[in-house]
Amino acid sequence: MAGTLGAMASTEPTLFDQVVNLCKRRSFVFPSAEIYGGFRSTYDYGPLGVLMLRNVKDAWWRSMVQLRHDVVGLDAAILSPPQVWEASGHLDNFSDPLVDCTGCKTRHRQDQLNDPDVCPSCGESGTFTEARAFNLMFKTQAGPVEDAGADVYLRPETAQGMFINFKNIIETSRKKPPFGIAQVGKSFRNEITPGNFVFRTREFEQMELEFFVPPNEAESWYEYWMNERYQWYLDLGIPDDLLRLRAHEADELSHYSSGTSDVEFLFPWGWGELEGIANRGDFDLTQHAQHSGQKLEYFDQGTGERYVPHCIEPAAGATRSMMAFLMAAYDEEQVNDDTRTVLRLHPRLAPYKVAVLPLSKKDTLLPKAEEVLHSLQPHFMCDYDITQAIGKRYRRQDEIGTPYCVTIDFDTLEDNAVTVRERDSMEQQRIPVDQLVNYLDEQLGL
Ligand code: GAP
């Protein structure tokens, strides 16, 4: 990582500033509704951000669904009735303790105060009200009538979609424990202290697996998923000195969990959670069975055994992980008299895999460059850039993490070969056009 860590007394930009600036400048992430002055802590993913975020989610789906025989997918509704959240415990328990300062009228999360008696806004002590529980769920109304019967909630986690579809899936998918249901999608929380760019926002994307197991296997599957999930971040290029697994203390556990460990990343401000792996026991299926009156259990026709499966849940943030991948990949290095900014992203996560760059804008080169581009597009997400000097265009691709640049020059018209430049080493090789797809495929190793 380049830059300085945190907000030290320095004029040097911090890594945080560098990544946030890059995100805006190169169209990864924009503040939402910016032409209206912005909408606090809400972000839009621009042309490169949408590609990278999709790559993060696809990498998760590939490892959690595609490469396994014991996990199926789901895309459940975002709007849900209060019964779901009553049963899950979110109506009663999903809250933060809030205090108001009677001096300066600001509101704070009690559990995040450095000194529980001193207001961080005005510095006065003894001015706080009693703490009140503030529920983090967004409530809205379904249909034209605004009465209590029309209340619905935007889901604060994707997980409940899996629990309320357990019966449907076990009856239709021929899966039996141990098996899992995976989902990727938006969740919403009325966070009191959103911030640190896309680390904590009110609208974000999650990637969650609910893995249902026989009760006596819960502990070993919990260990299994902790290791799998830690390895996933390593495999996608986060160095192990920026990652750790941390077990929750008893007083940190959520209302449903008998054991949770977080995969944490060393952000510029300190360690922060990327994902929690929780042993939820039979809490959710039992709660939904009681509230819905339906049997949510597994009956083994072979053995005649009947039980409520226990659930191990690896729950990750897609938007938050994307930020961690960007921070870990950001680098600056001296090349001759120049500073080269390079995103050393894993090729699977890079927005573009290949950039096609005709050496000059001359008409003679463009038809060949377009022909090469069209031959690559069915295989890889490609960029095409014909403006500015070639050195500048290489730098522009380095800065957004493109692993390979393919340059079409005047020799190409003679020998039907192109120059392929690798992002990290900047080494160049001449490759025949008819071998280009295979060559890039092998090098990218996707
Ligand atoms: N179903 C369990 C669950 O939702 P969580 O720890 O509250 O657990 C899982 O959320 C992951 O979702 C977190 O590790 C984090 O990556 C992401 N996440 C949670 N709240 C977030 C927020 N306000 N903004 C961005 N990501 C968030």
Side-chain angles (χ1 to χ4, degrees):
M1 288 200 287
T4 60
L5 290 182
M8 289 172 258
S10 161
T11 49
E12 214 187 309
T14 62
L15 172 67
F16 181 80
D17 297 334
Q18 286 165 322
V19 170
V20 174
N21 288 343
L22 179 78
C23 281
K24 173 83 197 292
R25 188 159 43 79
R26 297 307 311 275
S27 81
F28 281 84
V29 181
F30 302 127
S32 196
E34 207 177 8
I35 60 168
Y36 292 103
F39 180 42
R40 194 178 159 229
S41 297
T42 307
Y43 295 92
D44 297 339
Y45 289 74
L48 294 189
V50 71
L51 291 177
M52 182 169 171
L53 185 58
R54 183 178 285 234
N55 291 342
V56 170
K57 294 184 286 186
D58 285 351
W60 186 89
W61 192 266
R62 181 176 186 273
S63 123
M64 304 297 269
V65 183
Q66 186 184 334
L67 297 182
R68 303 187 66 96
H69 66 280
D70 55 0
V71 175
V72 291
L74 179 74
D75 190 1
I78 287 173
L79 290 176
S80 38
Q83 293 93 311
V84 172
W85 307 107
E86 233 169 83
S88 70
H90 282 78
L91 274 176
D92 284 341
N93 297 310
F94 198 57
S95 55
D96 282 338
L98 280 194
V99 288
D100 289 310
C101 173
T102 51
C104 70
K105 311 287 181 217
T106 53
R107 183 166 284 179
H108 304 273
R109 255 180 79 167
Q110 191 186 42
D111 55 338
Q112 288 184 340
L113 291 169
N114 285 335
D115 181 331
D117 281 330
V118 178
C119 173
S121 299
C122 66
E124 292 294 314
S125 63
T127 51
F128 283 138
T129 56
E130 285 291 306
R132 287 180 305 112
F134 175 78
N135 196 291
L136 299 183
M137 282 196 294
F138 279 102
K139 187 156 107 176
T140 185
Q141 304 266 322
V145 186
E146 288 196 16
D147 63 22
D151 284 351
V152 292
Y153 292 87
L154 301 190
R155 66 182 179 197
E157 59 172 19
T158 59
Q160 297 305 319
M162 275 80 100
F163 298 123
I164 62 177
N165 278 288
F166 173 83
K167 188 170 154 45
N168 284 335
I169 289 174
I170 202 131
E171 283 173 2
T172 57
S173 72
R174 302 175 60 80
K175 294 285 176 214
K176 59 183 231 172
F179 85 102
I181 310 175
Q183 180 169 205
V184 174
K186 288 225 169 173
S187 293
F188 303 82
R189 298 181 188 178
N190 198 359
E191 299 281 3
I192 295 142
T193 48
N196 284 337
F197 194 41
V198 297
F199 179 81
R200 181 170 286 107
T201 48
R202 297 199 169 107
E203 177 180 340
F204 54 97
E205 283 201 78
Q206 288 188 306
M207 311 181 287
E208 295 197 284
L209 171 71
E210 306 304 327
F211 199 74
F212 299 99
V213 302
N216 61 358
E217 294 178 20
E219 199 48 44
S220 57
W221 280 110
Y222 174 54
E223 295 287 327
Y224 168 87
W225 280 113
M226 273 194 296
N227 296 329
E228 282 288 297
R229 295 304 306 147
Y230 186 78
Q231 191 61 41
W232 185 79
Y233 295 95
L234 289 178
D235 291 347
L236 287 172
I238 297 191
D240 64 358
D241 57 334
L242 297 181
L243 267 190
R244 72 177 186 190
L245 256 178
R246 187 184 68 81
H248 278 206
E249 303 291 337
D251 62 352
E252 285 179 85
L253 292 176
S254 310
H255 59 275
Y256 49 75
S257 172
S258 62
T260 298
S261 290
D262 289 343
V263 179
E264 295 186 333
F265 176 76
L266 187 54
F267 284 98
W269 60 87
W271 290 99
E273 173 189 337
L274 294 181
E275 165 159 1
I277 298 98
N279 183 349
R280 298 178 77 120
D282 63 1
F283 176 83
D284 305 272
L285 291 182
T286 305
Q287 285 291 110
H288 285 298
Q290 276 168 8
H291 283 73
S292 66
Q294 303 277 332
K295 276 202 175 118
L296 301 181
E297 56 188 22
Y298 173 66
F299 175 61
D300 189 328
Q301 288 180 331
T303 62
E305 200 190 356
R306 188 182 289 282
Y307 62 86
V308 179
H310 282 207
C311 183
I312 310 301
E313 174 193 73
T319 36
R320 192 180 281 186
S321 301
M322 173 173 150
M323 180 176 172
F325 286 122
L326 283 169
M327 297 236 154
Y330 188 93
D331 196 13
E332 286 182 0
E333 66 178 10
Q334 279 306 118
V335 179
N336 305 325
D337 292 338
D338 197 17
T339 304
R340 175 171 97 116
T341 300
V342 51
L343 272 188
R344 299 190 193 278
L345 286 174
H346 188 286
R348 197 177 286 293
L349 302 182
Y352 295 119
K353 313 303 176 203
V354 188
V356 175
L357 313 173
L359 189 65
S360 103
K361 266 197 281 192
K362 289 221 167 71
D363 288 351
T364 35
L365 284 188
L366 295 189
K368 186 69 190 170
E370 282 172 28
E371 184 192 313
V372 171
L373 174 69
H374 295 322
S375 73
L376 296 178
Q377 277 172 325
H379 306 274
F380 314 107
M381 192 72 214
C382 298
D383 195 12
Y384 182 60
D385 188 359
I386 60 171
T387 57
Q388 293 189 314
I390 190 72
K392 281 215 166 113
R393 281 183 277 161
Y394 283 151
R395 290 287 186 276
R396 285 175 58 77
Q397 295 298 330
D398 292 341
E399 196 179 52
I400 59 172
T402 308
Y404 291 94
C405 290
V406 169
T407 305
I408 287 84
D409 55 27
F410 292 99
D411 288 343
T412 309
L413 303 178
E414 306 300 322
D415 64 2
N416 205 31
V418 290
T419 301
V420 178
R421 173 190 180 268
E422 197 271 331
R423 176 194 70 200
D424 293 343
S425 63
M426 295 185 282
E427 273 171 16
Q428 305 193 358
Q429 289 213 44
R430 201 80 185 155
I431 305 290
V433 169
D434 59 5
Q435 290 171 27
L436 193 55
V437 169
N438 281 349
Y439 175 80
L440 290 170
D441 217 18
E442 252 172 46
Q443 298 298 312
L444 288 162
L446 298 178

